[in-house]
Amino acid sequence: MIEPGLVSFVAVILAGGQATRLGGADKASIEIHGRTLLEHALDAVIDAAEVVVVGPQVPTDRPATFVVEDPQFGGPVAGLLTARDNFLRKTPTIAVLAVDMPRITATTFRRLHEAAVGHDGAVLTGPDGRRQLAFVVDTERLDAVRPDRESQHGMALHALWEPLDLVEVPAAGTEHRDIDSWTDLRDLDS
């Protein structure tokens, strides 16, 4: 359960997908307003004590550890748990962000942490109520519900979340928008 007050956390940026609707483009390297999606994501987790990026290594001026999910292309659960195993620090919470959500900011994660107090975590929701790949989770609770290596491959995120008490936090403005296609990229600012 997440405690009140300033919470030390580590962050996972999920950037290891195949981006099939983008023709296999490396999402982390796509630029918006002269900055890569990875740079936007790293800004969003600026308060983290440590960052692990799940995906191919790309140049960045910010400290981050790059790993490939095990098994590769195993999905967001495999990516999250692979990152969990690569942290050097132990913190009460883990923040998780998909690299293709450039409207998420450090303020978003502060709101998620505040909402999560007394619960296992908090997850951002879009206007349609759909849970987004932007959430915080209590490290010990995540460890308690962690599936074995075989089960995490291809596991749906909602199945991992099922036993967790996650507060849903409505997105402010367009922070819920992600980039799954070239049309999403074109329409991001509309």
Side-chain angles (χ1 to χ4, degrees):
M1 184 180 311
I2 295 178
E3 301 292 327
L6 186 61
V7 177
S8 177
F9 70 97
V10 290
V12 176
I13 297 175
L14 297 171
Q18 293 178 310
T20 53
R21 287 179 279 178
L22 287 167
D26 174 24
K27 280 189 180 182
S29 297
I30 291 174
E31 289 191 11
I32 295 176
H33 304 299
R35 301 184 66 236
T36 67
L37 286 177
L38 180 59
E39 289 170 324
H40 286 280
L42 288 168
D43 285 349
V45 295
I46 191 75
D47 297 331
E50 181 181 359
V51 178
V52 172
V53 177
V54 182
Q57 185 155 356
V58 295
T60 176
D61 61 354
R62 300 270 296 286
T65 301
F66 287 81
V67 299
V68 175
E69 69 265 42
D70 182 24
Q72 189 172 14
F73 304 123
V77 172
L80 165 58
L81 297 175
T82 299
R84 166 72 182 101
D85 293 341
N86 281 277
F87 285 118
L88 301 174
R89 293 170 178 84
K90 183 171 173 32
T91 62
T93 53
I94 298 172
V96 182
L97 176 61
V99 75
D100 65 354
M101 299 185 74
R103 297 295 183 245
I104 302 290
T105 66
T107 301
T108 308
F109 278 106
R110 291 178 196 129
R111 283 190 1 254
L112 289 170
H113 272 104
E114 288 170 12
V117 171
H119 303 274
D120 294 335
V123 59
L124 190 73
T125 59
D128 60 358
R130 188 172 63 94
R131 289 179 168 189
Q132 305 296 310
L133 262 174
F135 63 97
V136 296
V137 63
D138 178 274
T139 304
E140 289 182 7
R141 286 294 296 136
L142 176 65
D143 290 345
V145 302
R146 180 184 184 140
D148 62 31
R149 184 177 181 278
E150 298 296 320
S151 300
Q152 70 191 29
H153 179 75
M155 181 181 200
L157 198 52
H158 68 82
L160 180 70
W161 285 341
E162 182 68 32
L164 298 172
D165 173 26
L166 298 180
V167 175
E168 294 185 347
V169 177
T174 60
E175 64 187 355
H176 66 284
R177 295 186 71 182
D178 60 1
I179 299 170
D180 287 329
S181 68
W182 295 115
T183 302
D184 293 340
L185 180 61
R186 181 195 68 213
D187 296 343
L188 186 65
D189 291 325
S190 61

